[in-house]
Amino acid sequence: EVQLVESGGVVVQPGGSLRLSCAASGFTFDDHTMHWVRQAPGKGLEWVSLVSWDGGSTYYADSVKGRFTISRDNSKNSLYLQMNSLRTEDTALYYCASAMSSYMDVWGKGTTVTVSS
Amino acid sequence: QSVLTQPPSASGTPGQRVTISCSGSSSNIGGNTINWYQQLPGTAPKLLIYINDQRPSGVPDRFSGSKSGTSASLAISGLQSGDEADYYCAAWDDSLNGYVFGTGTKVTVL
C-alpha cells in the first residue's frame, strides 16, 4: 500500500525549533519529488517547500524562506522539514505529499504543529 | 494571500451541475498546468484532476477540468451528497518560483 506517515508535530514556544519527518512506503521513493504543505486551523492549503528526487534542488514559500530547511534521505525513504525561528503563524497541520510530475498524487494524514507560549 | 482566486462557496441540489472557477495569471495558470484537489471534511487533500483535465484512476467521470488562458474550471455533474468538500486549484508559479494553491471553494449539496 502506498503510504506517507508524518511525525514530529508538537507544541513549541515562539522562536523554537522542530524537525518534522515523513516516512514513505509502497512506492519508489527516490523517483518522486516531495512536498510539504500546511493548513492553519480553519484556513486553506499553503504550499511550504519541495525537494527534488535527489535532494539537489529545493524551493520554499516566501513565508518560510530562511527559517525552514527541507531534506530527504532516500536510503531511509524519508523526508524532513527542519523548522527554526518558529512563529505563531506557523501553527498548522503539516502534510507531506509525493509528486511524480507537477501534481501531488499521494498525501499523508498530517502532523500538527502548535507554536504558542 | 493566494495568487489563485476561487469563489468561497458553491452549491447545488443532488443531480445538478456545479462549476468552480480558478483565476490566475500568465506566471501560473497561463504558463503551467493546473491541478485540482478535493478535501473532504476532516481528511487530507486528494488529487482530483491533474494536468488540466486528467482524472486519476478511481475518480468518477462526473468530475472534469478545463483551462483557458489564465483561468481554469472544475465541473461536478450529477452532484451527490458525498461531494460536499473543499476544492482547491493549484499550479506552479514561475514568478514566485513556488507552487501556489487557490483560495479554496466549499461545495455544499442542498
Side-chain angles (χ1 to χ4, degrees), chain B residues 1-26:
Chain B
Q1 185 172 349
S2 177
V3 298
L4 300 182
T5 303
Q6 301 177 233
S9 63
S11 62
T13 57
Q16 275 191 330
R17 176 184 169 93
V18 166
T19 301
I20 300 168
S21 62
C22 176
S23 178
S25 68
S26 58

Side-chain angles (χ1 to χ4, degrees), chain A residues 35 37 39 43-47 50 59-60 62 65 95 101-105 107-110, chain B residues 33 35 37 39 43-47 49-51 86 88 92 96-103:
Chain A
H35 295 256
V37 175
Q39 188 168 34
K43 302 297 184 182
L45 300 175
E46 180 188 14
W47 175 78
L50 79 80
Y59 298 86
Y60 298 92
D62 286 344
K65 203 171 292 182
Y95 296 103
S101 178
S102 63
Y103 49 92
M104 302 171 199
D105 54 354
W107 293 67
K109 288 181 167 51
Chain B
T33 57
N35 309 303
Y37 300 90
Q39 188 174 32
T43 70
K46 166 192 160 185
L47 180 65
I49 297 288
Y50 66 99
I51 309 180
D86 294 319
Y88 297 90
W92 183 261
L96 296 175
N97 224 15
Y99 202 72
V100 289
F101 285 97
T103 49

Side-chain angles (χ1 to χ4, degrees), chain A residues 21-63:
Chain A
S21 299
C22 171
S25 59
F27 65 100
T28 306
F29 182 68
D30 54 13
D31 276 352
H32 290 71
T33 293
M34 296 297 296
H35 295 256
W36 286 101
V37 175
R38 68 184 181 184
Q39 188 168 34
K43 302 297 184 182
L45 300 175
E46 180 188 14
W47 175 78
V48 173
S49 182
L50 79 80
V51 59
S52 60
W53 66 275
D54 62 351
S57 296
T58 58
Y59 298 86
Y60 298 92
D62 286 344
S63 58

Side-chain angles (χ1 to χ4, degrees), chain B:
Chain B
Q1 185 172 349
S2 177
V3 298
L4 300 182
T5 303
Q6 301 177 233
S9 63
S11 62
T13 57
Q16 275 191 330
R17 176 184 169 93
V18 166
T19 301
I20 300 168
S21 62
C22 176
S23 178
S25 68
S26 58
S27 64
N28 41 67
I29 298 176
N32 296 291
T33 57
I34 186 98
N35 309 303
W36 291 89
Y37 300 90
Q38 177 194 56
Q39 188 174 32
L40 296 169
T43 70
K46 166 192 160 185
L47 180 65
L48 192 66
I49 297 288
Y50 66 99
I51 309 180
N52 303 329
D53 58 8
Q54 302 299 300
R55 280 186 308 277
S57 173
V59 173
D61 59 6
R62 300 186 297 104
F63 294 91
S64 61
S66 64
K67 178 185 126 170
S68 179
T70 59
S71 294
S73 292
L74 172 71
I76 310 173
S77 60
L79 195 64
Q80 299 178 1
S81 58
D83 297 333
E84 285 204 332
D86 294 319
Y87 293 83
Y88 297 90
C89 59
W92 183 261
D93 190 292
D94 294 325
S95 294
L96 296 175
N97 224 15
Y99 202 72
V100 289
F101 285 97
T103 49
T105 298
K106 184 177 184 63
V107 168
T108 302
V109 181
L110 303 171

